[in-house]
Amino acid sequence: CRSKHTRESAIPCKMLPPPSKRSRRGAAQRRVLAYMDALPCAAQYETSYAHRAVVTHTVVAAKAGFVCTASENGHVKFWKKMQRGVEFVKHFHAHVGPIADVAASFDGLWLATTGDDGAAKLYDVHAFDMACILRTKRDAAEPYVPGAACWLQTAAAPTPRVALAAADEAAPIRVYAAPTFALVAKLRVHASPIVALCPLPPLGLVVSADARGVLECWRCADGPRRGGDGKGAAVSEVPAEAPGDAVAYRSKLDTDLYALAKTRAGPCRISASSDGARFAVTASDATIRIFETRTGRCLRLLDESAAAIDARRGAWLLRSARGAPPDASDDSDDAGPMPEPAATAAAGEE
């Protein structure tokens, strides 16, 4: 049953006497009673660990079996993949304000987050603990606000390194070694602010996009380019390495990597397949573009605008009213170029 207790009336005087031991004991008892009143009275109850704000990022590390979610109010939550569903593990109020990006390492042992508060943070996934904090806006030799982030880690080069891009300026990509955030390289890739980074671990490549819609495919060297104390003063800025024989084109003019720049669509996110053979780019024009990594060609366009969805729904309702079977060709009529089956199989084998 719920306890009943009354609130003491205030003393109508300007100067209150110092609290006695009995009054302090009574305040502690009232606090305990308030906690008891908040306990559920039912035999069975449930509690929610959900975010209190809009979830903006979700990262899944299949090798480590964990899920990380981040919300727009700067909170990060870790979830453990169980045999049935997921189980809540830990919660961090990581950043003051929105979170810019969340990235997990290739082996699933490390997690990195960046925020608009000018901080980047590393987390040890197995320990579910925060390992290091980098104040790029205050403590760095060249202050900047971190934006996009990705891990430069492959099976051949397992050393964990995280790449951070400036959110509001055309600055080089800074590569840090984990878990100490020691600056090891500065890579010059884009002439505009970078908005998205996506690693391709099976190929050892990284795909990046800037605010103008230009896509770049590049490779980061395995060895560090660091000197001095490692705080960034002695690190020289160098251009990123070309993808080399990992791609089949010699010039970007032979690819569709300028497709977003031609349509003046701003890229939002980049996601790659598990084998790195293809990657998808979402843009501000509500269109998903699927590219082939080796050729740089756009394989398909998926129009996810409200007008296109309403048109497809109207066509489906019209066919249903006439009693005709659903036609699968309608989705591919305006979906852009599709590769031939033989060419797709050959690209997958390569």
Side-chain angles (χ1 to χ4, degrees), residues 16-25 27:
L16 296 177
S20 60
K21 294 183 178 180
R22 182 176 300 179
S23 63
R24 288 198 295 267
R25 190 181 303 112

Side-chain angles (χ1 to χ4, degrees), residues 40-61:
C41 300
Q44 296 181 352
Y45 64 94
E46 62 180 8
T47 182
S48 175
Y49 294 103
H51 287 272
R52 298 184 180 180
V54 177
V55 177
T56 57
H57 298 81
T58 301
V59 175
V60 179

Side-chain angles (χ1 to χ4, degrees), residues 4-249:
K4 298 181 180 179
H5 54 279
T6 60
R7 185 179 300 175
E8 293 183 358
S9 59
I11 301 177
C13 62
K14 296 183 179 180
M15 299 298 295
L16 296 177
S20 60
K21 294 183 178 180
R22 182 176 300 179
S23 63
R24 288 198 295 267
R25 190 181 303 112
Q29 292 177 355
R30 289 193 297 271
R31 192 179 303 110
V32 172
L33 292 175
Y35 287 133
M36 294 178 63
D37 288 342
L39 291 175
C41 300
Q44 296 181 352
Y45 64 94
E46 62 180 8
T47 182
S48 175
Y49 294 103
H51 287 272
R52 298 184 180 180
V54 177
V55 177
T56 57
H57 298 81
T58 301
V59 175
V60 179
K63 293 186 177 181
F66 84 96
V67 180
C68 175
T69 56
S71 56
E72 63 180 3
N73 57 354
H75 290 254
V76 176
K77 294 190 176 184
F78 286 90
W79 312 79
K80 181 66 177 178
K81 180 68 175 67
M82 311 300 291
Q83 291 184 353
R84 295 185 59 183
V86 294
E87 182 180 347
F88 173 77
V89 177
K90 202 166 186 179
H91 164 237
F92 291 96
H93 189 183
H95 298 275
V96 181
I99 292 179
D101 202 0
V102 180
S105 61
F106 175 70
D107 54 7
L109 301 180
W110 298 96
L111 184 82
T113 61
T114 58
D116 295 344
D117 56 352
K121 300 185 179 182
L122 290 183
Y123 305 85
D124 186 348
V125 174
H126 277 181
F128 294 104
D129 195 10
M130 188 178 298
C132 187
I133 302 177
L134 176 64
R135 304 288 182 181
T136 60
K137 195 174 181 180
R138 185 185 61 186
D139 300 338
E142 299 176 356
Y144 69 98
V145 177
C150 77
W151 288 86
L152 308 179
Q153 185 185 35
T154 62
T159 304
R161 295 173 300 155
V162 60
L164 302 181
D168 53 357
E169 59 179 338
I173 297 176
R174 296 167 173 86
V175 181
Y176 298 90
T180 58
F181 265 131
L183 184 62
V184 296
K186 291 182 181 179
L187 304 178
R188 185 170 59 254
V189 182
H190 291 271
S192 298
I194 298 174
V195 298
L197 291 171
C198 179
L200 307 176
L203 303 179
L205 303 178
V206 179
V207 178
S208 58
D210 60 15
R212 296 189 305 173
V214 178
L215 301 177
E216 294 284 353
C217 186
W218 47 277
R219 185 194 305 271
C220 182
D222 299 336
R225 300 188 182 98
R226 176 167 52 90
D229 56 358
K231 296 183 179 180
V235 178
S236 59
E237 179 181 339
V238 296
E241 293 185 4
D245 55 358
V247 297
Y249 56 87

